[in-house]
Amino acid sequence: MTSTVTVSGIGGPRLTLGFDRFDRLDLDRHLAVHGRLRAPDLDDIVRMCEQVDLRGRGGAGFPFARKLMAVAARVNYPTADQTALLPGESGGERGSSEDVVIVVNGAEGEPGSAKDKVLLERAPHLVLDGAQIAASALGTQRIVVAVEDDEAARSVRAAISERRMPARVVRLTERFISGESGAVVRAINGETPIPPGVKVRASDSGVDGYPTLLSNTETFAQLAVLISLGSDLYASAGTEEEPGTTLLTVGGTQVVEAPLGTPLQAVLDHCQVPPSPGVLVGGYHGMWLGPAAVSRAVLSRAGMRRVGGTVGAGIVLPLSQGTCPLGEVTRIASYLAAQSAGQCGPCRLGLPDVVRSLNSLTEGAGTVEDVRRAAGIGRGRGACTHPDGTARFVLSAMEAFAADIDAHRWGGGCDLSTYGVLPLPVPDGSEGRVAIDWSRCDGHGLCAYIVPELIQLDRYGFPVVLGTDIPSWMEKDVQKAVAMCPALALRVVDGVPDIPSRR
């Protein structure tokens, strides 16, 4: 994916320093560009992170210093006069907290994001610098880099070999929920890579049950930049409240490094994005902004909150003119429903209901209130954040695209086609969907009792199929429903449909 991604910047580069000269920074190039870093002790790192309010760049924006202190509280860590050395140097005392694990979360299951893959492919040593700085401060050598992308995995393995460091790379499956922290820990532990369903802090019990410092790829790269520049110089970019730069993925194809505090419209202009009926910020668990909000939005947590948006994981997806906004929202909601782990009611039943309500609204038969009711039923009760994030995405669309929704409600359509401009994974041929042979179906209704998540009965007792891919956790139930259909009318078909036309 990243081979087709362009990288640029607004202002001076930090994370992307050297990208204008090198496709990939191997160890020699990295040291020439960023220099050789010494790792401060834990107290100094915590102080520096607090001075610039370094936050995680994976979406939640959790303070990095608090993560460090939470892990340190579980173990004995080096004292303030101990230091450790980074690549190319020898000697240096390490702490005794050998059970602590540092995890670089390079999972980027969201289709619209590419920034972490870019970092891992082109600047792997910057990321490993940050991981090793944290590891040295906590007195451990156990570093795990969890990645989904083949090129990223090869780049990191090569960097680990160049540094001769005791770290390992773990491959993750490419799923939307694979980047959730609990899912990453489970994958590293050899378990099913889905959220655990019960909130367990990685700092308490993570990889192999040991205290684990888990953070996003960019976060570790930011830590390395902070240690390299120092707090004052790091804070020379960005705003007083939110210093530094951040990486954005715009439209799924452009990665931009920009200072926090940059107007969103300036980022869109830099990427030559034409005027849009709406811009999604924060990705598919983010929020839609209409044109007026986009013109006032500022790239910071506070700036986005003021206009009803979020920075999230730095994903910016403008909607192209000429495509049906409601059709695009329904298309992505269908994808999100199929991406759930299926371990709680809000995902198993709630997300399909959200898709059904959106389909009805698109066809002019439903109302916005139906969508809001469906999206609000399981709020706060999911086994992970997936149902709440999906609801946020859908509900913000009800506000941003009110005019388009009115056209659907009163006219049965907006006279625009759904072109599928929002990115989704390229189908690999393994997807399947439920279909019904209407020449055979007698309306027994047994299928709706076996797989109510995918099939419901209309008022005449005949099945209505939800048009989403079959989630992996439902495959056995679907096979059972197909086998038990009295009329042999139920079947599984190729799950790579044409983009539906909404006219």
Side-chain angles (χ1 to χ4, degrees), residues 30-31 34-40 84-87 89 125-126 129-130 133 223-229:
H30 168 75
L31 292 175
H34 291 283
R36 195 183 304 276
L37 302 183
R38 295 183 65 87
L85 303 176
L86 287 180
E89 298 187 356
H125 288 283
L126 189 65
D129 267 358
I133 286 168
L223 176 62
V225 170
L226 171 61
I227 300 304
S228 174
L229 297 179

Side-chain angles (χ1 to χ4, degrees), residues 250-263:
V250 181
T253 60
Q254 298 188 63
V255 170
V256 179
E257 182 177 10
L260 290 164
T262 303

Side-chain angles (χ1 to χ4, degrees), residues 239-410:
T239 69
E240 184 176 352
E241 295 77 17
E242 299 180 41
T245 67
T246 194
L247 287 181
L248 303 172
T249 311
V250 181
T253 60
Q254 298 188 63
V255 170
V256 179
E257 182 177 10
L260 290 164
T262 303
L264 177 59
Q265 189 59 58
V267 174
L268 298 175
D269 292 342
H270 173 82
C271 295
Q272 298 182 336
V273 175
S276 169
V279 175
L280 181 64
V281 290
Y284 292 159
H285 278 178
M287 303 178 189
W288 285 100
L289 300 179
V294 168
S295 67
R296 294 183 286 111
V298 173
L299 182 61
S300 67
R301 295 186 303 278
M304 285 295 186
R305 276 197 303 269
R306 282 194 290 269
V307 295
T310 177
V311 175
I315 301 166
V316 179
L317 294 172
L319 194 63
S320 301
Q321 293 282 2
T323 192
C324 170
L326 188 54
E328 292 286 349
V329 170
T330 304
R331 173 174 163 266
I332 300 305
S334 299
Y335 160 74
L336 294 173
Q339 285 291 299
S340 82
Q343 48 185 356
C344 66
C347 265
R348 290 181 69 101
L349 298 172
L351 295 186
D353 277 346
V354 171
V355 176
R356 290 188 185 96
S357 66
L358 284 171
N359 280 326
S360 294
L361 185 62
T362 303
E363 294 163 1
T367 66
V368 172
E369 288 68 30
D370 294 335
V371 176
R372 288 176 175 155
R373 190 179 306 110
I377 287 176
R379 186 175 299 173
R381 296 187 292 170
C384 68
T385 60
H386 186 55
D388 282 0
T390 303
R392 182 164 53 245
F393 164 82
V394 170
L395 291 175
S396 68
M398 298 299 100
E399 304 296 332
F401 303 122
D404 181 72
I405 290 170
D406 282 343
H408 280 268
R409 288 179 62 192
W410 307 120

